[in-house]
Amino acid sequence: MPKQSPVPDALSKPFWDACNEGRLIMQTCGICNRMQFPPEAACSQCKSKDHLMWREVSGRGKIYGYAVMHDCRIRVLQADQPFNLAIVELDEDPGIKMYSHLPGTPVDEVPVGASVRVEFEATPASGQKVYEWRVVK
Amino acid sequence: MASSTQNAPASMYRKDEGLGVWEHKGKVAAVGVGHSPADRRWDYRPETSVGAYAIIALRKAMEDAGVTPDQVDGLVMDPSTTTGASWPEGRPIPEEFAKAFKPGAGAVDGISMLSTEWILNNMPELTNIKYTQYGPGCMSNAICVGAQAVGDGLAKVCLVLKAWDNLEGRYGQGGANAEDTISGNAQWSNPWGPTGPYLWAYMFNQYTQKYGGSHDLMANFVVNSKRNGLLFPEGYWAQNRPDVLTKEDYLNSRWIVKPANLYDCDIPITVGAAYLFTTAERARDMKQKPVYILNHTQTQPKNRGIVQTLEECQESTDFTGRKLYEGAGIGPSDVTFENMYDGYTLFHQYFLEGLRFAGVKRGEALEFYEHGDLTIEGPNPVSPSGGNAGSGRTRFWMHSDSIQQIQGRAGARQIKKKAEIGISGGPMPTSGNFTVWSATPG
């Protein structure tokens, strides 16, 4: 499903570069051993700026919740309405939540709790790849 | 050309639990209420601009309280007025507007923002203002700041203002949302499109999954709010499109983000409101009955990730409830009516349950909506203002109504039960400002 292309900045570039390479990475604080998403300039827990690193994760998660978008404000998504908009939580840390359109899942037939696996999809404007999640059959 | 007025310092908001009873409990009172007309959009005439509407509201609030402008020494307001759209860069200010008003502290002052300078330049009758402060965000913020300012002795007779401009265009559909690329914080969300009501639609699914029930059980709440809204003469729907909403209309409405439908979302409008706050002592000599402020509190979001969870929302609203009761020295059974924000109707139940209003506990609100009595005639009036579902998005009807209910001046909306204590606030269950209003100083 065509999406807006994220424009990487200094903070987000490692994440989006990894997406282009087919890898999902999470910003992690070396002191707290805690992941955070989206990435921030400092650890949201200990506030340290000097111990943030990127850690590759398995790309496995579960569907936490969803709603069905019928009237979206984002122009490039409007042609695909209605569409699923789910929240996926990472297996490594369910506190990390990420959005997904759940490609392959029929509209409004979202299996909450089901296992999902990450995949990467190119966005039309710049070719930048973004993450998506597909239900594991 | 920046405004010389500052945002209120963080110390003016009561944020924590364990602060005890508010030091100014019962010593600050709301007396006057003023509203402008309410329009769907600005039609570019000077007399319907957000600045003009702010002036109308302020003058009415003073008149309502029986106070002359020279007696007012404080002005607290939110400088932001936009419902979402900005005045396009480079677009000239309408000539008629420029002729009608003196400039303030910004190029679009009076059109798409409001500074204290603009108000004072265009209300020469306010000759004795010694204290100005911004309470940015919503009327809920300005109320907390105004109450604290009067309590702290920074002002003795203080106007509190919030006004909104709704410029042309579909809500949120322009700007970055219409582009093919996305920068900044929105790079983490816009590619998937979780705008506006999404958070509350998804969370409503979490709620019904956890406690049972369905979206259909929202109907009585929304129908009751729309009914109360039509009894609010200053409201947008009452003034412009007084259609009665039936349960069937609600259940057959189109989805915006299923399970949020059209009537679960409030409509952006152009409008202003002002209140006159003063000390309990001064209030005794004014025209209307004083409504004493027992407490105010601010709650800020604590969500960890990209989206708030149901549990985080419930923790926030429980926290708000506990703080409100602690600072006011009251408990849930003391509350006559609740007027919490409803600007997505699908989150009102978190407030209601957080307050334990009418004895409703976690997970019980939909059952209460379906089988309880929410009406203004009943024992537990829910959103007697009609809220923003009932009168358009201002995030202030709830406050105006709370003051008027306790004064016995809510007209056709007046609750049957004696209005002793009411609670209002918002906007979000996870981040907002809240006030306890009372017929007695407590």
Side-chain angles (χ1 to χ4, degrees):
Chain A
M1 190 169 142
K3 298 169 170 56
Q4 286 183 312
S5 296
V7 179
D9 49 42
L11 197 57
S12 67
K13 190 168 187 308
F15 179 87
W16 294 123
D17 283 351
C19 286
N20 286 341
E21 295 161 10
R23 296 183 304 122
L24 186 66
I25 60 173
M26 281 292 138
Q27 194 186 37
T28 306
C29 173
I31 295 175
C32 303
N33 192 30
R34 183 177 182 266
M35 293 191 281
Q36 58 187 19
F37 181 80
E40 294 176 48
C43 170
S44 59
Q45 189 163 273
C46 74
K47 311 297 175 200
S48 165
K49 294 179 180 176
D50 304 327
H51 299 86
L52 292 172
M53 57 186 87
W54 292 97
R55 175 183 157 196
E56 187 164 346
V57 292
S58 67
R60 291 174 186 275
K62 291 190 177 53
I63 299 174
Y64 174 71
Y66 80 104
V68 180
M69 187 64 72
H70 286 251
D71 191 345
C72 180
R73 295 178 201 158
I74 314 300
R75 188 181 51 76
V76 300
L77 295 174
Q78 289 168 349
D80 289 303
Q81 290 171 172
F83 58 84
N84 290 324
L85 180 43
I87 294 159
V88 166
E89 52 188 26
L90 283 194
D91 277 358
E92 282 89 346
D93 182 348
I96 301 293
K97 307 271 195 292
M98 304 176 85
Y99 293 116
S100 175
H101 291 141
L102 295 179
T105 297
V107 174
D108 210 5
E109 293 178 27
V110 174
V112 173
S115 294
V116 289
R117 182 175 286 181
V118 78
E119 61 186 35
F120 297 92
E121 165 184 313
T123 53
S126 70
Q128 171 65 50
K129 285 188 176 174
V130 298
Y131 58 85
E132 259 304 0
W133 299 85
R134 189 176 290 269
V135 173
V136 178
K137 302 283 179 196
Chain B
M1 211 168 43
S3 175
S4 62
T5 297
Q6 303 294 312
N7 288 344
S11 59
M12 292 188 86
Y13 297 98
R14 305 185 87 236
K15 294 177 186 169
D16 300 321
E17 219 171 342
L19 296 176
V21 170
W22 182 37
E23 68 270 22
H24 304 310
K25 175 187 172 183
K27 293 176 189 159
V28 181
V31 185
V33 176
H35 295 109
S36 76
D39 302 325
R40 177 76 171 105
R41 296 182 191 281
W42 187 35
D43 59 8
Y44 305 106
R45 290 183 299 141
E47 61 268 35
T48 55
S49 63
V50 70
Y53 277 5
I55 293 173
I56 290 173
L58 289 164
R59 286 180 176 152
K60 281 190 174 175
M62 289 187 280
E63 194 187 333
D64 192 48
V67 163
T68 54
D70 61 307
Q71 293 175 300
V72 175
D73 63 355
L75 175 62
V76 174
M77 54 189 273
D78 179 1
S80 168
T81 61
T82 178
T83 59
S86 316
W87 186 258
E89 224 176 290
R91 183 171 177 174
I93 301 300
E95 208 173 298
E96 291 301 311
F97 178 87
K99 267 193 238 161
F101 295 107
K102 291 184 178 153
V108 294
D109 218 343
I111 287 180
S112 197
M113 66 162 276
L114 276 174
S115 66
T116 52
E117 284 86 353
W118 194 93
I119 295 292
L120 296 178
N121 288 346
N122 289 288
M123 290 182 74
E125 70 267 39
L126 291 172
T127 50
N128 281 318
I129 299 285
K130 294 176 181 69
Y131 172 76
T132 60
Q133 191 91 69
Y134 292 130
C138 275
M139 180 65 102
S140 301
N141 300 64
I143 286 173
C144 295
V145 174
Q148 194 64 37
V150 172
D152 289 347
L154 299 169
K156 286 193 168 57
V157 180
C158 185
L159 286 164
V160 180
L161 169 74
K162 171 71 195 185
W164 294 90
D165 71 82
N166 190 40
L167 301 175
E168 65 196 16
R170 269 207 80 192
Y171 186 72
Q173 302 238 347
N177 290 347
E179 302 295 325
D180 293 333
T181 61
I182 187 70
S183 307
N185 285 339
Q187 69 185 289
W188 306 109
S189 54
N190 261 32
W192 294 269
T195 47
Y198 174 77
L199 172 65
W200 306 107
Y202 122 80
M203 203 185 286
F204 191 85
N205 277 339
Q206 303 297 98
Y207 181 89
T208 52
Q209 201 177 325
K210 185 169 178 181
Y211 300 109
S214 69
H215 179 261
D216 289 1
L217 301 182
M218 286 297 300
N220 279 347
F221 171 77
V222 180
V223 167
N224 182 62
S225 294
K226 293 289 280 186
R227 176 202 175 212
N228 294 346
L230 292 185
L231 302 176
F232 210 134
E234 293 90 347
Y236 170 76
W237 297 105
Q239 280 181 48
N240 297 284
R241 291 166 63 183
D243 310 324
V244 173
L245 183 83
T246 66
K247 204 168 173 174
E248 289 66 38
D249 294 334
Y250 177 73
L251 295 176
N252 293 322
S253 168
R254 74 180 176 91
W255 298 118
I256 304 296
V257 187
K258 189 184 175 188
N261 73 21
L262 183 67
Y263 293 108
D264 292 317
C265 307
D266 53 3
I267 190 171
I269 55 174
T270 288
V271 63
Y275 308 131
L276 189 126
F277 284 9
T278 189
T279 60
E281 209 167 86
R282 289 283 291 273
R284 281 188 219 120
D285 304 325
M286 291 184 186
K287 201 165 126 191
Q288 310 297 346
K289 186 183 153 183
V291 175
Y292 299 94
I293 297 176
L294 301 188
N295 187 23
H296 64 86
T297 193
Q298 179 176 77
T299 298
Q300 290 174 322
K302 285 183 181 155
N303 55 301
R304 175 177 172 194
I306 199 160
V307 66
Q308 287 148 357
T309 65
L310 173 63
E311 288 69 26
E312 285 164 340
C313 177
Q314 292 180 322
E315 277 168 32
S316 280
T317 41
D318 279 344
F319 181 55
T320 298
R322 290 195 307 269
K323 288 189 296 173
L324 282 171
Y325 291 138
E326 181 195 357
I330 61 166
S333 61
D334 296 313
V335 181
T336 320
F337 61 89
E338 67 84 21
N339 255 326
M340 295 298 236
Y341 187 49
D342 62 333
Y344 293 113
T345 64
L346 298 190
F347 63 54
H348 192 81
Q349 74 274 14
Y350 307 127
F351 284 130
L352 191 133
E353 293 173 357
L355 291 174
R356 303 292 186 266
F357 180 72
V360 176
K361 299 186 198 67
R362 280 288 167 219
E364 296 179 352
L366 292 183
E367 182 69 16
F368 176 62
Y369 286 171
E370 182 70 0
H371 299 295
D373 183 351
L374 318 180
T375 65
I376 50 176
E377 293 84 359
N380 299 302
V382 169
S383 203
S385 71
N388 301 262
S391 289
R393 185 196 306 145
T394 61
R395 300 173 176 161
F396 58 56
W397 305 118
M398 323 88 78
H399 306 302
S400 306
D401 181 69
S402 296
I403 298 168
Q404 291 174 334
Q405 290 287 356
I406 291 170
Q407 289 176 326
R409 297 197 300 145
R413 286 186 333 279
Q414 187 67 44
I415 61 172
K416 205 166 175 185
K417 199 176 171 186
K418 187 167 173 13
E420 296 282 357
I421 292 180
I423 297 183
S424 60
M428 296 303 149
T430 42
S431 60
N433 292 270
F434 309 91
T435 307
V436 183
W437 312 89
S438 172
T440 61

